[in-house]
Amino acid sequence: MKILLHICCGPCATYPFDVLEGEGHQVDGYFYNPNVHPFSEYLRRREAVEKLAAATSRRVIFSPRYDFQEFFRRVVFRESERCRFCYDQRLKLTALVARKGKYDAFTTTLLISKQQKHELARQVGEAAAAEAGVKFLCRDFREGWKRHW
């Protein structure tokens, strides 16, 4: 299966890449994170993903967009829904890129973190998938958390 992996940062990407490729899937990364602020942190994460891609010869698509203003507009006065807006913005665009690139499915490194809301990420991912017409591969990668953190 051809899978597009949304990447939030380099360390979180290694385990999902390894697992999915180990199962025989073709996996490409997609870096899009308008929620990361300040910009210096965004650049640090992007650089880490660039180094990971170069060191492992993995293909990663880097979104030219850094839509932090849109993210902040959506969150202001709705801080309790911040995670939903964050997941929604990132996974909707990932789903569209997956559809355009003719991927069979997409997933996200958010599913490796013990700090993320997995059920919410699943719901948002499935909604984005239905809207874009591409499958959301919801996998619990949290067992790989210890490997990198």
Side-chain angles (χ1 to χ4, degrees):
M1 183 165 31
K2 184 177 172 187
I3 300 171
L4 185 64
L5 173 64
H6 165 262
I7 299 173
C8 64
C9 65
C12 286
T14 58
Y15 184 75
F17 261 126
D18 290 348
V19 167
L20 295 170
E21 289 171 345
E23 293 172 354
H25 301 292
Q26 175 194 330
V27 184
D28 293 335
Y30 180 62
F31 183 83
Y32 173 64
N33 295 292
N35 61 304
V36 177
H37 188 75
F39 188 62
S40 59
E41 174 63 16
Y42 169 84
L43 291 176
R44 192 173 73 86
R45 289 185 187 204
R46 181 183 170 107
E47 182 180 319
V49 173
E50 289 169 346
K51 287 179 180 177
L52 172 68
T56 60
S57 299
R58 288 182 169 129
R59 181 172 181 255
V60 176
I61 302 163
F62 292 89
S63 175
R65 299 167 60 169
Y66 178 61
D67 304 322
F68 75 96
Q69 290 175 329
E70 178 185 339
F71 173 71
F72 284 131
R73 269 191 232 110
R74 293 176 79 187
V75 172
V76 170
F77 301 116
R78 295 182 289 273
E79 289 82 4
S80 65
E81 291 293 312
R82 178 181 183 180
C83 291
R84 178 176 298 283
F85 292 126
C86 176
Y87 299 165
D88 182 70
Q89 189 174 0
R90 294 191 282 173
L91 296 181
K92 275 186 178 177
L93 191 55
T94 303
L96 292 174
V97 170
R99 182 182 72 199
K100 185 176 180 181
K102 299 188 181 351
Y103 288 85
D104 300 305
F106 71 98
T107 191
T108 178
T109 60
L110 295 169
L111 298 172
I112 195 173
S113 176
K114 294 181 178 189
Q115 298 173 351
Q116 298 297 329
K117 298 177 180 181
H118 282 243
E119 180 59 22
L120 180 59
R122 182 192 61 76
Q123 291 170 3
V124 171
E126 288 176 354
E131 192 174 309
V134 63
K135 181 182 175 182
F136 177 63
L137 181 63
C138 186
R139 294 284 296 272
D140 188 345
F141 295 115
R142 287 178 283 194
E143 71 180 44
W145 177 260
K146 293 178 195 169
R147 185 171 135 183
H148 301 288
W149 298 104

